[in-house]
Amino acid sequence: MLDADRGAPDERSLTRVAWRRRFARLNENGNLGWSLAALLISLIALAPIAAIAILALQSSGDTWPHLAANVLPRAVRRTLGLMAGVGGLSLVIGTGTAWLVTMYRFPGRRLFQWMLLLPLAIPTYIIAYCYLELFDYSGVVQTGLRDVFGWQDARSYWFPDIRSLGGAIFVMSAVLYPYVYITARASFLAQSVCVLEVSRTLGQSAGATFWRIALPLARPALAAGVALALMETLNDIGAVEFFGVKTLTVAVYDTWLDRNSLPGAAQIACVMLLFVFTLLLIERSMRAHRRFHHTTGKYRDLTEEPLRGGAAAFAMLACALPPLVGFLLPVGVLMSDATAHLAAGLAPDFWRAARNSLLLASAAAGLAVILAVVLAYARRQTRSKVVQTASTLPAISYAVPGTVLAIGLLIPLAQLDNGIDAAMRSLFDIPTGLIFSGTAFALVVAYTIRFLAASLGAVEAGLSKISRHIDAAARTLGSSVSETLWKVHLPLLRPALGAAALLVFVDSMKELPATLLLRPFNFDTLATQVFTLVSLYRYEEAGLSALTIVLVSLVPVFMLHGVIVAGRPGASPSRGVLGPSPAAWVAQAS
């Protein structure tokens, strides 16, 4: 319709044209089905966050005033203190060790390069219970000291309290610093040798070069690594519960289960979401306008400065302590417990928990890979900004703590169960009960949504290796978009799909917060079994279950070794660089 005075299209006509263009982009090359599927998956992934916001608006009676006055201020202070301590200590350890093994040559350097990754295999709740078993009042160390010196009770001597905020910071940093180590080392390896050599030529010492050149250039990578460590800190419920540090995560757990107030728990969960989004904004602002690239296509290996004498001994000690504290000592405790109580550990409860963990993790891995393929392929096949934006939104779920995700999932699943039950009662007079909520299905959905970002990263990394000319050739030969995926892309994506499934499988095996809140009655996984036994002070009996989780988690850690340097163009094989491989996609997804 034309405006009579101006002879131009009116506003309604322009709106219709705009919507037609959006629909045309969605249906580009017949991809409407893929576009709608990607939008649906994105909505499902964001549904828990929307459900929490809606639930938090409901009245919680007298619970919220009590929480706001007595629980929330203390929980916020403890959470901020824990995050500040873990972030700072992880930054120092990860950055320092990454610089040493990258820029210096000293005895054991190649061994330390991969040993510094090992603490990634130990979840925070497992290392927490290991250090409680060692350093608590009834632990091995204090018991031994009392026997040697004849002390009668705790008033006879002073010993650091492991059940404290400081103890939680120390122990959690011991397993979270590798996030900073990985990103920092990759950044140092990618830096231009020319820039570092010019700094040394101008008379700067190695220390000055680190502070003035290398560290500012690595700031985006360091911000990303610290953000990952802080997200894991915010998500933790096992370690903080064992150490008696009442964080926001514990407050959500207690409000839901002890005070029986789901709206109150959702309101605290909204505060946690505020922490998450603030953390993401800070991380993005730290990286904003600080992207650097090389202006030359010539690359040489980084020059390693040899260390001797006291300097070499200091470097060896600095690189040996983190894996000793974060991996070797806890694994020693687990192996001792597992072997000493092997018969009790291999009881039917262990096998049931192991079976449940295996089935849940396998189902979540398979579902996450399928959804990731749909999202990544839809992005590849359409130029629609709606699809491009929506398909990246599920990555936010990786930053959402498991307790928050559990609350957000419970509401829509319960409503779905109630709707089905009401319909079956009215039509057939048959009650259906709980079909989705309160069952293993809820756990699989929670794992899938939480770790979909890791799977999506691996699949997209694999797709990026496949030339778009292959798509054009397949279409020229008469294959549809779906046939091209099935016959061409999926066979080429097998390594990436395997890497994506492995990432989700291992993360699901370790997941504790969401499992605690969503599991059915009398249903245990290895993670919840460890948590339950340790809560009952039955440390030794938890050894075998904890050791099983650690051994499974070692697989992706070994795959990461030697791959974090793969992104540096021109690196030589002598530096341990691998070509494109499943491990490379694992590193990119991480």
Side-chain angles (χ1 to χ4, degrees), residues 419-445:
I420 294 175
D421 184 71
M424 293 297 292
R425 285 176 183 271
S426 62
L427 294 176
F428 306 105
D429 197 24
I430 299 176
T432 58
L434 298 179
I435 300 176
F436 301 110
S437 60
T439 65
F441 175 84
L443 289 173
V444 173
V445 174

Side-chain angles (χ1 to χ4, degrees), residues 130-137 139-142 159-160 162 329:
C130 290
Y131 274 86
L132 283 177
E133 187 175 352
L134 285 174
F135 297 108
D136 202 12
Y137 177 77
V140 176
V141 174
Q142 292 200 53
F159 195 86
I162 191 68
L329 194 57

Side-chain angles (χ1 to χ4, degrees), residues 114-315:
W114 67 268
M115 284 189 65
L116 286 163
L117 293 170
L118 293 178
L120 272 180
I122 301 187
T124 51
Y125 58 88
I126 289 181
I127 192 174
Y129 111 70
C130 290
Y131 274 86
L132 283 177
E133 187 175 352
L134 285 174
F135 297 108
D136 202 12
Y137 177 77
S138 59
V140 176
V141 174
Q142 292 200 53
T143 301
L145 290 175
R146 289 195 297 270
D147 292 341
V148 171
F149 294 100
W151 296 326
Q152 299 300 319
D153 52 38
R155 293 174 295 181
S156 304
Y157 65 98
W158 177 86
F159 195 86
D161 186 10
I162 191 68
R163 293 180 183 268
S164 62
L165 178 62
I169 290 173
F170 172 76
V171 171
M172 294 178 71
S173 299
V175 292
L176 295 179
Y177 80 85
Y179 287 110
V180 183
Y181 168 78
I182 290 173
T183 56
R185 185 163 181 246
S187 177
F188 292 149
L189 284 167
Q191 290 178 7
S192 171
V193 182
C194 302
V195 174
L196 302 179
E197 287 182 345
V198 167
S199 173
R200 300 300 298 273
T201 303
L202 293 176
Q204 298 294 322
S205 63
T209 300
F210 170 75
W211 287 106
R212 297 182 180 181
I213 306 297
L215 198 59
L217 290 175
R219 189 180 303 173
L222 298 181
V226 171
L228 286 172
L230 293 182
M231 289 176 190
E232 292 296 328
T233 303
L234 191 60
N235 179 62
D236 177 77
I237 192 173
V240 293
E241 180 75 15
F242 298 155
F243 288 127
V245 181
K246 301 300 182 181
T247 61
L248 287 169
T249 306
V250 178
V252 171
Y253 185 78
D254 290 343
T255 303
W256 184 356
L257 299 183
D258 294 344
R259 295 185 177 89
N260 197 28
S261 175
L262 194 55
Q267 288 161 348
I268 300 179
C270 285
V271 178
M272 293 185 69
L273 285 177
L274 181 62
F275 271 65
V276 170
F277 292 131
T278 302
L279 186 61
L280 292 175
L281 289 175
I282 293 174
E283 188 266 340
R284 287 185 66 86
S285 66
M286 289 287 291
R287 293 191 293 115
H289 309 299
R290 285 179 170 85
R291 295 182 177 88
F292 308 99
H293 62 277
H294 299 287
T295 57
T296 176
K298 298 179 180 179
Y299 293 85
R300 292 184 288 111
D301 285 341
L302 295 174
T303 303
E304 299 166 353
E305 181 178 340
L307 298 179
R308 296 180 178 84
F314 172 79

Side-chain angles (χ1 to χ4, degrees), residues 320-355:
L321 283 178
L324 174 65
V325 174
F327 183 80
L328 297 178
L329 194 57
V331 167
V333 173
L334 295 179
M335 293 182 66
S336 175
D337 290 345
T339 53
H341 299 82
L342 187 60
L346 291 175
D349 288 344
F350 168 78
W351 294 111
R352 280 194 293 269
R355 180 199 61 195

